[in-house]
């Protein structure tokens, strides 16, 4: 089986590597030609010099499958439009980025008019997906979902970590809520650890405590694992600025809560805390920034 990946950044590049490792042929293109060359030379990816070249190298496949790993918004929108003339009816476009689910619904409806299948795939796993496998939640028709199942298995753990969750839009919707929950979990850890640090009379060792919690505790999690590992190296976080970015998913989740009339105070306050960090200072904000970097490789603002 063969597919093309457009966008070989941190996530897209690692996805290409994992697919190649698990027997899926990958044609790759990125405007950063160094990224293309590196993965081609070290992992055996088929290099492409342009999007059109990448698609042409899928000729002979029963269905051409193009996986887009680009920033949400106009870049993804334009790339999908540019792909349509290069594809045939029955071919499949997968958007594996963090697009707004409403945009995915619209794009899916438009592509259906062109005879092209669309899958919106929420992708979790961050920079660790190459080693640990990703979590994929995707929406689309059953036929398209069945077609990409071997790809999903190669990117995950074959028998788990992937699911066709519903129609077009449902994949990115599920990922949006996933990220909203993530905001709340991160905020809770950050605030709790800030309180521990603030109790100066006990002189608590946060590296010791987070490592302790990893074993048998009800709050044990991968997020805690990453936090404990980072604190083992530097508890003061002196090089990290107390600034926490928000990439959009948290905002969309809170807007969805308002639209549905569903109370989501934890998710809302977690989002607002990120806003506040952009004009404030504090240890908890440094911890939030550290966690985002640990699981997703998101840039850390330094002093």
């Amino acid at each position: 089986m063969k597919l093309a990946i457009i966008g070989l950044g941190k996530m897209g590049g690692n996805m290409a590597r994992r697919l190649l490792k698990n027997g899926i042929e990958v044609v790759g293109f990125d405007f950063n030609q160094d990224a293309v060359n590196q993965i081609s030379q070290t992992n055996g990816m088929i290099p492409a010099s342009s999007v059109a070249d990448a698609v042409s190298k899928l000729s002979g496949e029963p269905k051409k499958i193009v996986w887009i790993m680009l920033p949400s918004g106009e870049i993804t929108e334009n790339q999908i439009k540019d792909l349509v003339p290069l594809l045939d009816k029955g071919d499949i476009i997968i958007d594996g980025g963090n697009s707004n689910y409403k945009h995915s619904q619209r794009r899916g409806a438009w592509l259906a008019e062109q005879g092209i299948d669309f899958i919106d795939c929420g992708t979790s796993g961050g920079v660790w997906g190459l080693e640990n496998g990703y979590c994929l939640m995707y929406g689309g028709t059953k036929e398209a979902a069945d077609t990409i199942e071997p790809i999903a298995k190669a990117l995950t753990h074959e028998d788990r970590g992937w699911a066709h969750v519903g129609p077009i839009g449902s994949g990115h919707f599920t990922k949006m809520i996933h990220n909203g929950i993530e905001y709340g979990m991160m905020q809770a850890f950050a605030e709790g650890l800030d309180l521990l640090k603030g109790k100066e009379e006990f002189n608590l060792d946060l590296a010791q405590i987070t490592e302790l919690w990893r074993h048998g505790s009800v709050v044990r999690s991968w997020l805690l694992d990453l936090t404990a590992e980072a604190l083992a190296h530097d508890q003061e976080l002196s090089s990290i600025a107390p600034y926490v970015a928000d990439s959009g998913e948290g905002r969309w989740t809170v807007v969805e809560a308002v639209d549905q009339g569903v109370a989501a105070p934890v998710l809302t306050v977690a989002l607002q805390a990120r806003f506040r960090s952009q004009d404030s200072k504090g240890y908890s904000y440094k911890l939030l920034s550290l966690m985002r970097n640990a699981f997703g490789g998101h840039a850390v603002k330094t002093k």
Side-chain angles (χ1 to χ4, degrees):
M1 190 171 193
K2 185 192 296 185
L3 79 157
I5 295 182
I6 309 301
L8 298 170
K10 291 177 183 176
M11 182 82 85
N14 280 347
M15 291 176 71
R17 292 182 180 94
R18 186 171 177 90
L19 288 168
L20 290 161
K21 178 182 177 182
N22 289 315
I24 302 291
E25 286 189 274
V26 177
V27 180
F29 172 73
D30 193 284
F31 285 107
N32 179 358
Q33 195 61 41
D34 288 341
V36 177
N37 293 338
Q38 182 182 41
I39 301 173
S40 299
Q41 292 167 8
T42 59
N43 301 95
M45 183 184 73
I46 303 168
S49 59
S50 66
V51 173
D53 184 40
V55 174
S56 72
K57 289 179 176 176
L58 297 177
S59 61
E61 293 295 303
K63 291 178 182 286
K64 292 191 285 293
I65 301 172
V66 180
W67 191 306
I68 302 172
M69 287 300 295
L70 298 171
S72 62
E74 188 175 355
I75 294 175
T76 292
E77 182 83 14
N78 291 337
Q79 184 59 82
I80 289 174
K81 290 178 179 177
D82 291 344
L83 275 170
V84 170
L86 304 174
L87 299 176
D88 301 314
K89 290 186 176 181
D91 290 343
I92 301 172
I93 295 175
I94 305 170
D95 177 7
N98 283 333
S99 292
N100 188 299
Y101 79 93
K102 294 179 180 179
H103 296 169
S104 296
Q105 287 179 306
R106 173 178 53 76
R107 291 166 183 159
W110 178 72
L111 287 170
E113 294 174 356
Q114 318 305 314
I116 296 171
D117 280 318
F118 179 68
I119 286 182
D120 59 297
C121 182
T123 308
S124 185
V127 295
W128 297 90
L130 172 60
E131 179 181 349
N132 299 335
Y134 295 91
C135 176
L136 305 179
M137 50 216 91
Y138 48 92
T141 65
K142 184 180 184 306
E143 180 183 6
D146 289 346
T147 299
I148 73 158
E149 188 172 304
I151 298 170
K153 288 181 176 180
L155 285 169
T156 58
H157 289 279
E158 190 167 341
D159 62 338
R160 63 191 188 279
W162 58 273
H164 175 211
V165 297
I168 292 172
S170 63
H172 282 151
F173 180 79
T174 303
K175 179 60 161 49
M176 179 184 79
I177 302 303
H178 164 284
N179 282 24
I181 293 169
E182 180 184 284
Y183 274 42
M185 292 175 65
M186 291 171 66
Q187 186 67 30
F189 273 125
E191 291 178 8
L193 292 169
D194 198 8
L195 286 169
L196 289 172
K197 186 176 187 298
K199 196 66 172 175
E200 295 181 358
E201 65 182 281
F202 290 153
N203 192 29
L204 296 169
D205 184 337
L206 298 192
Q208 178 194 48
I209 291 169
T210 50
E211 178 62 28
L212 166 70
W213 286 353
R214 292 180 60 216
H215 307 282
S217 163
V218 295
V219 298
R220 63 188 184 275
S221 63
W222 183 46
L223 186 59
L224 179 61
D225 293 343
L226 295 171
T227 305
E229 182 179 353
L231 289 175
H233 296 292
D234 176 18
Q235 290 192 42
E236 293 304 316
L237 311 182
S238 54
S239 65
I240 299 177
Y243 178 100
V244 190
D246 68 288
S247 55
E249 298 266 18
R251 297 189 187 203
W252 300 340
T253 301
V254 172
V255 170
E256 182 68 27
V258 173
D259 289 345
Q260 290 192 27
V262 172
V266 172
L267 309 188
T268 303
V269 170
L271 173 66
Q272 292 174 342
R274 294 196 179 196
F275 294 159
R276 189 168 64 243
S277 80
Q278 295 163 18
D279 189 31
S280 186
K281 60 184 179 180
Y283 189 73
S284 66
Y285 299 130
K286 293 183 178 185
L287 282 163
L288 287 169
S289 187
L290 176 150
M291 283 185 263
R292 292 184 82 244
N293 175 261
F295 68 74
H298 302 289
V300 170
K301 188 173 182 179
T302 57
K303 290 185 177 179

